[in-house]
Amino acid sequence: GDSVTQMEGPVTLSEEAFLTINCTYTATGYPSLFWYVQYPGEGLQLLLKATKADDKGSNKGFEATYRKETTSFHLEKGSVQVSDSAVYFCALSKTGRRALTFGSGTRLQVQP
Amino acid sequence: GAGVSQSPRYKVAKRGQDVALRCDPISGHVSLFWYQQALGQGPEFLTYFQNEAQLDKSGLPSDRFFAERPEGSVSTLKIQRTQQEDSAVYLCASSSAGGSYEQYFGPGTRLTVT
C-alpha cells in the first residue's frame, strides 16, 4: 500500500540555520504531495503542496520539490526562526481517493 | 470565519463504554474526513463523507467504529465498547468541492480509555 517515510526527530537547530526535513514516499501512479505543520496547541495546517512531478510548492519561506525519480518531497527553508518550532508532517493523496496518507512527523525545535 | 470545531476536546472513558465524538465542518464544505492519531504518530485515515454519503470507510479498524453525517453537515464518530488501544487523538477535517484537495483540520478530540 501507499506509505510516507520521514526522517525521525527531533531536529534541533539554531535560529537562521538551514533546514532540511527528508520525506520519501511509496505509491503507485502519480500522487499529490503535501507538507502539513502542527504548531504547539494548534490543529494541522497545510504548509505547501505539489500535484505533479517537478512542481515546487512554497509558502512562508519553506519549499519542497516533487521528485518522481527519487520519490521524494524534501522540505527546506533557508533560515529558520524560533516561531518555526512545530511538528511537520509529509503526506500524499491519490487521484480519486481524497484520503491523506501521512508520515510519522518530524519535530523541529529552533533555539534562539 | 469559523474553522472546523470538534467536541469534546478531551474524553476519558472506562474500558467497555461507548463514546460519541462530534465534528462541525466549515460551513459549505461537502467533504468530511476522520483520522486517528496515536501518540507520536501521523494521522491515519478512518473514513470519508461527501455530503451525507459515506464513500470510503476502509480505515475503520473494527466494527466497533461507526460514523455518520445524516444531513451532510455535522458528523459523529461513535466507538462502541471502547478498548485501551482506542486511546488516541481523533481528528476531523473538511474540504470544499473541487480539486484543490486542501483539508482543513479541527483541533481534535483526545480520547483516553482507562
Side-chain angles (χ1 to χ4, degrees):
Chain A
D2 301 338
S3 66
V4 175
T5 302
Q6 293 181 234
M7 62 189 289
E8 288 193 17
V11 173
T12 303
L13 296 173
S14 297
E15 207 164 21
E16 299 184 3
F18 184 86
L19 168 71
T20 300
I21 299 178
N22 291 337
C23 170
T24 57
Y25 68 89
T26 301
T28 56
Y30 302 93
S32 295
L33 301 174
F34 306 84
W35 278 99
Y36 277 80
V37 59
Q38 189 168 35
Y39 297 104
E42 298 185 18
L44 279 166
Q45 303 172 26
L46 179 64
L47 180 60
L48 53 84
K49 67 180 181 184
T51 58
K52 61 183 188 296
D54 300 324
D55 268 1
K56 177 185 284 188
S58 61
N59 186 25
K60 299 182 181 179
F62 290 89
E63 293 183 339
T65 301
Y66 188 165
R67 301 284 189 204
K68 186 156 180 65
E69 63 276 13
T70 55
T71 61
S72 64
F73 193 54
H74 304 322
L75 182 68
E76 297 182 334
K77 187 175 185 183
S79 175
V80 294
Q81 305 300 311
V82 172
S83 57
D84 294 327
S85 298
V87 181
Y88 293 81
F89 292 91
C90 186
L92 67 82
S93 71
K94 301 280 287 290
T95 302
R97 184 169 189 264
R98 303 289 300 278
L100 289 164
T101 300
F102 286 89
S104 57
T106 302
R107 181 175 300 278
L108 170 66
Q109 298 173 336
V110 181
Q111 297 175 337
Chain B
V4 178
S5 61
Q6 294 186 245
S7 61
R9 292 292 312 276
Y10 303 91
K11 177 70 179 176
V12 179
K14 286 189 164 60
R15 189 159 56 96
Q17 285 184 331
D18 297 349
V19 298
L21 313 180
R22 176 187 169 105
C23 172
D24 282 84
I26 292 172
S27 178
H29 277 192
V30 300
S31 298
L32 185 146
F33 305 80
W34 284 99
Y35 294 85
Q36 180 190 59
Q37 186 175 18
L39 189 63
Q41 299 298 313
E44 291 193 359
F45 170 75
L46 294 177
T47 187
Y48 159 55
F49 291 85
Q50 186 166 304
N51 296 305
E52 68 278 5
Q54 190 174 19
L55 298 186
D56 187 345
K57 53 181 181 179
S58 61
L60 295 176
S62 77
D63 59 8
R64 296 186 296 104
F65 287 71
F66 172 77
E68 60 183 5
R69 194 186 185 198
E71 297 178 359
S73 179
V74 170
S75 177
T76 304
L77 176 67
K78 297 179 179 178
I79 309 174
Q80 297 177 323
R81 304 181 303 281
T82 52
Q83 304 295 316
Q84 283 196 314
E85 61 263 28
D86 300 335
S87 295
V89 176
Y90 290 85
L91 298 171
C92 176
S94 69
S95 69
S96 60
S100 72
Y101 293 99
E102 179 167 359
Q103 297 183 22
Y104 295 83
F105 282 80
T109 295
R110 182 178 297 278
L111 172 65
T112 303
V113 181
T114 61

